[in-house]
Amino acid sequence: MIESNAEYETGWFVGGYDLIEQPDGSRKRYYWAELPTAVVVTAITDDQVLFVEQYRPTIRHEQLELPAGVVEAGESFTAAAERELEEETGFRADSLSLLEEVWVATGLLRHKRAYVFAEGLEPTEQDLDANEFLTPRAVPTEEAMSTVRSRPTNDATLQGLSLADAEGLL
């Protein structure tokens, strides 16, 4: 890398480019966006997967998604998952385990995401942020994948369910 420049910074993401010397000696700018590390939670209770329904302004659709959020500084993936699950759904888990940690869309993003499995859920209270308008919804485990695939969904939800299924947890 010859140089790295952040051209746009907000409290939510940074955008910029790296000037790279390629193997043939030519130079090229590779643009990127950096997002905070996030966690996605696949939570099971009474043979049901717990989702949240919310409107996503970026795509102008309501989606059924797994609970998710930003990992705060110094927070472990499982602690972030526990916090986000309770805030978004009003359930606390007594058992959480890390399924996978991945880099997301590496051709454009600098963004890490972790997938956590949660079980042993006990009801508490939702504690939504001012900009969150989420409705918890439980779907029978055997219908979870077909339910999310039959409507607009996102990669994090499909990956979270797929990872849990691959581990024999669904």
Side-chain angles (χ1 to χ4, degrees):
M1 177 176 55
I2 297 166
E3 67 183 28
S4 184
N5 290 301
E7 293 187 322
Y8 187 77
E9 295 184 48
T10 72
W12 178 242
F13 77 95
V14 177
Y17 70 89
D18 292 339
L19 181 61
I20 303 292
E21 184 172 328
Q22 301 183 110
D24 67 0
S26 64
R27 292 182 175 195
K28 181 174 175 140
R29 286 184 178 180
Y30 283 89
Y31 288 87
W32 47 261
E34 185 173 321
L35 300 172
T37 299
V39 65
V40 178
V41 187
T42 303
I44 305 292
T45 184
D46 299 325
D47 294 322
Q48 297 191 7
V49 178
L50 191 56
F51 293 95
V52 291
E53 224 164 12
Q54 67 178 317
Y55 179 77
R56 288 294 191 180
T58 52
I59 60 168
R60 301 181 183 113
H61 283 283
E62 188 171 84
Q63 288 192 289
L64 189 63
E65 304 175 354
L66 292 174
V70 172
V71 178
E72 295 177 0
E75 194 174 37
S76 70
F77 293 133
T78 53
E82 181 176 39
R83 177 182 49 75
E84 287 292 342
L85 178 66
E86 186 170 9
E87 288 175 2
E88 293 191 357
T89 69
F91 283 88
R92 180 178 294 137
D94 72 8
S95 175
L96 295 110
S97 57
L98 179 64
L99 295 174
E100 194 77 36
E101 178 183 340
V102 301
W103 285 100
V104 179
T106 55
L108 175 64
L109 296 180
R110 291 179 178 170
H111 176 55
K112 193 176 282 187
R113 183 184 297 153
Y115 294 90
V116 172
F117 181 76
E119 58 189 338
L121 304 186
E122 295 293 328
T124 61
E125 291 185 30
Q126 265 184 315
D127 184 20
L128 300 175
D129 293 336
N131 65 336
E132 288 181 314
F133 303 93
L134 309 175
T135 303
R137 182 165 165 218
V139 174
T141 305
E142 65 275 358
E143 297 172 19
M145 187 63 84
S146 62
T147 299
V148 297
R149 292 186 72 193
S150 69
R151 52 195 351 216
T153 191
N154 62 35
D155 60 333
T157 296
L158 289 174
Q159 290 170 343
L161 289 174
S162 296
L163 288 166
D165 189 43
E167 293 291 324
L169 299 169
L170 294 186

